[in-house]
Amino acid sequence: MHSYFVPSSNLNPIGATYHLNAAQLTVSQRQDTKGALIEAIGEVDLTTAPQLREALMTAITSAEKSPVIVDLSRVDFIDSAGLALLVEARKKLAPEGRVLNVLLTPSRQPERVLKLGRFDTIMTLAYSLNDL
């Protein structure tokens, strides 16, 4: 479900009440043999990106200094806030020579957006942990 406003009244658009259908995101984090794995389920947008950012920054600043893997394979939607967060994470990892890997599901919106934006030129896009 994407975030959008729905007018509750079509009679008076100026005085209409709007309700926000907020996106939902579940984020979990664990260490995998391939690196710090952050799993996201739901939608990544302006309202939910801070949840993902918290987990990402924890992985980036950890003493382990392993690659970071963001699993977006169960994310239905990502907007510019989510894309900016991935770029920020990549910039923080690069000086240490660490890699940002993103797991995707073929033909879903996040894959299309990341490929269209050429994110594969600055981070690894894969379809399973075995591909890394």
Side-chain angles (χ1 to χ4, degrees):
M1 179 180 293
H2 305 294
S3 295
Y4 57 93
F5 289 102
V6 179
S8 63
S9 169
N10 291 329
L11 300 176
N12 182 4
I14 295 172
T17 303
Y18 293 89
H19 303 280
L20 178 64
N21 292 330
Q24 294 187 0
L25 182 69
T26 302
V27 178
S28 62
Q29 185 176 355
R30 65 182 171 87
Q31 192 63 36
D32 184 81
T33 57
K34 305 243 180 174
L37 177 61
I38 299 157
E39 298 171 302
I41 302 170
E43 299 178 2
V44 182
D45 69 6
L46 185 62
T47 62
T48 61
Q51 280 179 261
L52 184 56
R53 185 179 193 284
E54 184 178 337
L56 259 171
M57 294 307 132
T58 299
I60 290 169
T61 59
S62 77
E64 182 102 6
K65 303 297 180 203
S66 62
V68 175
I69 305 158
V70 181
D71 184 352
L72 300 179
S73 64
R74 293 185 284 174
V75 167
D76 299 316
F77 175 81
I78 188 168
D79 74 359
S80 60
L83 300 177
L85 177 57
L86 293 176
V87 171
E88 176 189 2
R90 195 267 183 194
K91 285 182 177 179
K92 288 185 181 292
L93 290 167
E96 299 175 349
R98 295 168 67 198
V99 178
L100 178 63
N101 303 292
V102 180
L103 299 180
L104 301 165
T105 298
S107 300
R108 279 192 139 160
Q109 187 265 358
E111 182 209 30
R112 291 190 302 270
V113 170
L114 289 169
K115 287 198 169 187
L116 183 64
R118 307 258 343 230
F119 278 65
D120 58 330
T121 63
I122 61 169
M123 59 191 69
T124 304
L125 304 182
Y127 297 101
S128 75
L129 281 172
N130 294 331
D131 293 342
L132 301 176

